[in-house]
Amino acid sequence: TATQVRTGGNWAKVRSARVEVLMRSEKSVPTQAVRYSFDGTTTTPTDRAVYLVLSQNVALRNTLFST
């Protein structure tokens, strides 16, 4: 996790990063709230907006094959 890297001084061992984006619709669409998972937590929103989670693992340049 980011906390382990930061407190353990393990930046040299980091090879990839996960990026997550949470988007919310402007309008309320569903008849009831729709659950979504973001950052490892499942949430039931209090509104009726549509939420979309985009997640991507990114390899960091010049780190995958270094020793």
Side-chain angles (χ1 to χ4, degrees):
T1 66
T3 302
Q4 293 168 327
V5 170
R6 185 174 52 249
T7 59
N10 293 317
W11 284 107
K13 295 180 181 178
V14 175
R15 300 291 185 247
S16 65
R18 173 173 289 229
V19 178
E20 287 189 324
V21 177
L22 175 63
M23 297 189 294
R24 179 188 180 277
S25 66
E26 289 184 24
K27 298 179 181 179
S28 296
V29 180
T31 56
Q32 60 182 339
V34 177
R35 297 177 70 152
Y36 63 89
S37 294
F38 181 75
D39 194 26
T41 303
T42 301
T43 303
T44 302
T46 56
D47 57 11
R48 292 182 301 133
V50 175
Y51 289 85
L52 176 65
V53 177
L54 301 174
S55 179
Q56 180 73 41
N57 288 326
V58 180
L60 301 177
R61 272 181 75 128
N62 299 328
T63 61
L64 294 181
F65 301 107
S66 63
T67 57

